[in-house]
């Protein structure tokens, strides 16, 4: 079993992989958050990141550029998450090793919107 990069304790194949492959859609804001972290951690998943990014705030770069990882993500901890109707908030801490080889922690509170039944990342 290959553990999922999102630190859920589940196998990648039954955790974030179906979302990245487009076989399934995250039902909760937390699942979307985890799958986007996994996309960043794996690299080469720029199309998924763009697909789950709200058009209003999505970066104007190609999926290929977005999938190029200069950061090594080493862990995810969800601190809190809240879902109210089509609005969601997730507070998380992600550990990483930056381009200079230094360990760091990225602490963010992200907001999400659900449109057409799909959760989208709005801002952090
Ligand atoms: Zn996962």
């Amino acid at each position: 079993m290959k553990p999922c990069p999102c630190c859920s304790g589940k196998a990648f194949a039954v955790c974030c992989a179906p979302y990245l492959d487009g076989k399934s859609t995250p039902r909760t804001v937390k699942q979307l958050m985890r799958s986007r972290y996994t996309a960043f951690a794996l690299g080469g998943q720029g199309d998924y990141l763009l697909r789950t990014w709200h058009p209003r705030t999505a970066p104007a770069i190609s999926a290929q550029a977005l999938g190029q990882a200069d950061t090594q993500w080493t862990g995810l901890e969800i601190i809190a998450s809240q879902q109210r109707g089509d609005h969601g908030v997730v507070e998380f801490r992600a550990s990483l090793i930056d381009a200079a080889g230094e360990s760091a922690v990225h602490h963010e509170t992200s907001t999400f919107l659900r449109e057409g039944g799909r959760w989208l990342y709005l801002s952090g």
Side-chain angles (χ1 to χ4, degrees), residues 4-8 10-12 14-17 19 31 34-35 38:
C4 194
C6 80
C7 302
S8 61
K10 294 189 219 162
F12 175 57
V14 297
C15 187
C16 293
Y19 305 136
Q31 284 170 339
R34 287 187 172 283
S35 66
T38 295

Side-chain angles (χ1 to χ4, degrees), residues 43-82:
Q45 299 286 339
D47 53 343
Y48 183 74
L49 292 169
L50 284 180
R51 204 158 73 227
T52 55
W53 215 310
H54 198 282
R56 207 196 303 162
T57 53
I61 59 171
S62 70
Q64 199 190 359
L66 196 55
Q68 265 161 10
D70 54 354
T71 299
Q72 194 190 332
W73 297 96
T74 54
L76 174 69
E77 183 196 349
I78 305 251
I79 299 163
S81 75
Q82 203 183 75

Side-chain angles (χ1 to χ4, degrees), residues 75-119:
L76 174 69
E77 183 196 349
I78 305 251
I79 299 163
S81 75
Q82 203 183 75
Q83 216 174 293
R84 198 165 290 159
D86 289 330
H87 294 261
V89 178
V90 179
E91 182 186 1
F92 67 94
R93 258 196 296 261
S95 346
L96 61 102
I97 297 168
D98 67 17
E102 301 284 331
S103 300
V105 173
H106 176 76
H107 184 189
E108 180 178 319
T109 301
S110 305
T111 57
F112 300 84
L113 271 182
R114 187 162 54 188
E115 289 190 359
R118 285 173 176 267
W119 283 106

